[in-house]
Amino acid sequence: MSVTILGIESSCDDTSAAIIRDGVILSNVISSQKVHEQYGGVVPELASRAHQQNIIPTVDTAIKRAGITAEDINAVAFTRGPGLLGSLLVGTSFAKGFALGRNIPLIEVNHLQGHVLALFARSVEDQQPLPQFPFICLLVSGGNSQLLVVRDYLDMQMMGTTIDDAAGEAFDKCAKIMELPYPGGPLIDKNAKLGNPDAIKFAKPNIEGYNYSFSGLKTSFLYHLRDQLKLNPNYVQDNMNDLCASLQSTIISILMGKLHKLVKDTGIRHVGVAGGVSANSGLRQALIDYGQKHNIDIYIPKFEYTTDNAAMVAVAGYYKYLGNQFTTHDVAPLARMEM
């Protein structure tokens, strides 16, 4: 008997719905919110209001694109947290209502766990190999930078995390300092391709173990601009590409350094990357080069599964369904949620 899951993702500023059947993604619809660009970041109240407007048409589109009906769905998986509480509440409430109306099970999903399982999101035509267990996952997003050992679909151990800013925050905050539009990460990536990654030296943290820190890099970047702008008011505009290339190179170096340490210490020869920052072309190439140099299998998600999306929630929901891991209808969303 086939298992069909509806996935709902609403943790931040993207409303997304996806359909998965027997582990294969049939549809993945994302409704992005442009309203936040003028504010230089996500405004929680505006995000939750937009989710309310988008959730029904997004789910309806996902069902139609999958070529199914609501009656074919066996369970609803939704992001419980972490994320913006108001945004999570919209997705949670819709999932409850849909599950009650159809009298089908409800499945809660950890947003971060979903990002990792995005590595297993595949459509019928996808032929890329899936990760082999155990594997190390570098999870890098706007608010998280973590190193995980993944032993099974739902068995993940966090080995290291950021103690302050995450890699995505470093990208976005430094982009804001340079007065680049939000979100700044993709623009830094674009400009970095035209610059010299060795043009400017920024400070790197010296943190023990597998933990990350990016606040010092952000401060080093800020002080560098302050000193240079005193000499040349047009310094940022004149050196934009080199600034972006050097900043991106430093962030990637920090990420890869801890990853290499964990690979050496565990002996695990399979490495995946997940989260919004995994869309960064420099990081992707660094991982490919690392895999070739050290004879390690590297797994990189398709671009549509890097940012917040419901396909990853549906994948997590599918494996939870197989394990009978259902939740009750009194479940509440959580702004903070451990792996």
Side-chain angles (χ1 to χ4, degrees), residues 175-230:
K176 191 171 185 178
I177 293 172
M178 291 187 289
E179 298 184 349
L180 291 174
Y182 175 86
L187 293 176
I188 289 179
D189 188 19
K190 179 180 179 180
N191 291 326
K193 296 175 182 177
L194 304 175
N196 177 9
D198 299 316
I200 307 165
K201 299 298 181 183
F202 295 116
K204 293 183 182 179
N206 184 17
I207 308 297
E208 294 184 0
Y210 309 118
N211 287 338
Y212 287 112
S213 171
F214 291 96
S215 63
L217 170 61
K218 182 188 65 178
T219 302
S220 174
F221 184 84
L222 179 62
Y223 284 173
H224 174 79
L225 290 192
R226 182 198 63 182
D227 294 341
Q228 294 300 320
L229 287 171
K230 291 178 181 178

Side-chain angles (χ1 to χ4, degrees), residues 248-306:
Q248 178 163 292
S249 176
T250 305
I251 291 176
I252 291 172
S253 177
I254 294 170
L255 292 171
M256 295 301 296
K258 296 292 186 176
L259 172 63
H260 181 57
K261 175 176 173 57
L262 184 57
V263 169
K264 287 201 305 180
D265 290 350
T266 61
I268 295 174
R269 313 298 293 175
H270 302 278
V271 172
V273 64
V277 182
S278 68
N280 181 277
S281 63
L283 178 58
R284 284 175 169 247
Q285 189 59 52
L287 284 161
I288 292 171
D289 294 343
Y290 178 75
Q292 292 174 345
K293 179 179 179 180
H294 297 280
N295 193 27
I296 292 172
D297 292 326
I298 301 295
Y299 306 95
I300 300 175
K302 295 177 67 175
F303 281 107
E304 57 261 43
Y305 302 139
T306 56

Side-chain angles (χ1 to χ4, degrees), residues 13-288:
D13 61 332
D14 287 330
T15 310
S16 184
I19 301 293
I20 186 172
R21 172 172 286 172
D22 298 336
V24 178
I25 302 297
L26 301 184
S27 67
N28 183 42
V29 180
I30 302 174
S31 179
S32 299
Q33 302 175 6
K34 301 296 184 182
V35 66
H36 307 285
E37 293 180 0
Q38 60 184 306
Y39 300 101
V42 177
V43 181
E45 177 62 24
L46 296 180
S48 58
R49 290 182 181 182
H51 281 304
Q52 288 180 310
Q53 296 175 338
N54 296 335
I55 187 77
I56 292 178
T58 300
V59 171
D60 183 61
T61 300
I63 292 174
K64 289 179 178 178
R65 288 186 183 176
I68 66 169
T69 66
E71 288 71 24
D72 297 318
I73 297 173
N74 300 111
V76 183
F78 68 97
T79 300
R80 185 185 182 188
L84 300 176
L85 200 55
S87 295
L88 291 166
L89 184 60
V90 175
T92 301
S93 299
F94 180 89
K96 288 181 180 181
F98 192 98
L100 280 171
R102 295 286 310 124
N103 192 29
I104 55 178
L106 191 64
I107 304 170
E108 65 175 75
V109 172
N110 183 305
H111 179 76
L112 302 180
Q113 194 175 54
H115 269 306
V116 176
L117 292 179
L119 288 165
F120 295 91
R122 69 188 193 281
S123 58
V124 175
E125 64 272 14
D126 290 336
Q127 300 296 324
Q128 71 270 26
L130 299 178
Q132 296 184 35
F133 299 115
F135 68 90
I136 292 172
C137 185
L138 172 61
L139 175 56
V140 275
S141 64
N144 298 276
S145 293
Q146 298 180 348
L147 280 171
L148 307 165
V149 172
V150 184
R151 297 184 176 87
D152 204 346
Y153 298 108
L154 305 176
D155 182 4
M156 306 177 190
Q157 180 183 2
M158 187 174 69
M159 306 299 291
T161 187
T162 180
I163 62 174
D164 42 57
D165 285 351
E169 288 176 308
F171 275 122
D172 286 337
K173 289 179 179 179
C174 289
K176 191 171 185 178
I177 293 172
M178 291 187 289
E179 298 184 349
L180 291 174
Y182 175 86
L187 293 176
I188 289 179
D189 188 19
K190 179 180 179 180
N191 291 326
K193 296 175 182 177
L194 304 175
N196 177 9
D198 299 316
I200 307 165
K201 299 298 181 183
F202 295 116
K204 293 183 182 179
N206 184 17
I207 308 297
E208 294 184 0
Y210 309 118
N211 287 338
Y212 287 112
S213 171
F214 291 96
S215 63
L217 170 61
K218 182 188 65 178
T219 302
S220 174
F221 184 84
L222 179 62
Y223 284 173
H224 174 79
L225 290 192
R226 182 198 63 182
D227 294 341
Q228 294 300 320
L229 287 171
K230 291 178 181 178
L231 303 174
N232 176 13
N234 297 318
Y235 175 76
V236 174
Q237 291 80 0
D238 294 344
N239 298 274
M240 178 66 74
N241 294 336
D242 285 349
L243 280 167
C244 291
S246 298
L247 173 65
Q248 178 163 292
S249 176
T250 305
I251 291 176
I252 291 172
S253 177
I254 294 170
L255 292 171
M256 295 301 296
K258 296 292 186 176
L259 172 63
H260 181 57
K261 175 176 173 57
L262 184 57
V263 169
K264 287 201 305 180
D265 290 350
T266 61
I268 295 174
R269 313 298 293 175
H270 302 278
V271 172
V273 64
V277 182
S278 68
N280 181 277
S281 63
L283 178 58
R284 284 175 169 247
Q285 189 59 52
L287 284 161
I288 292 171

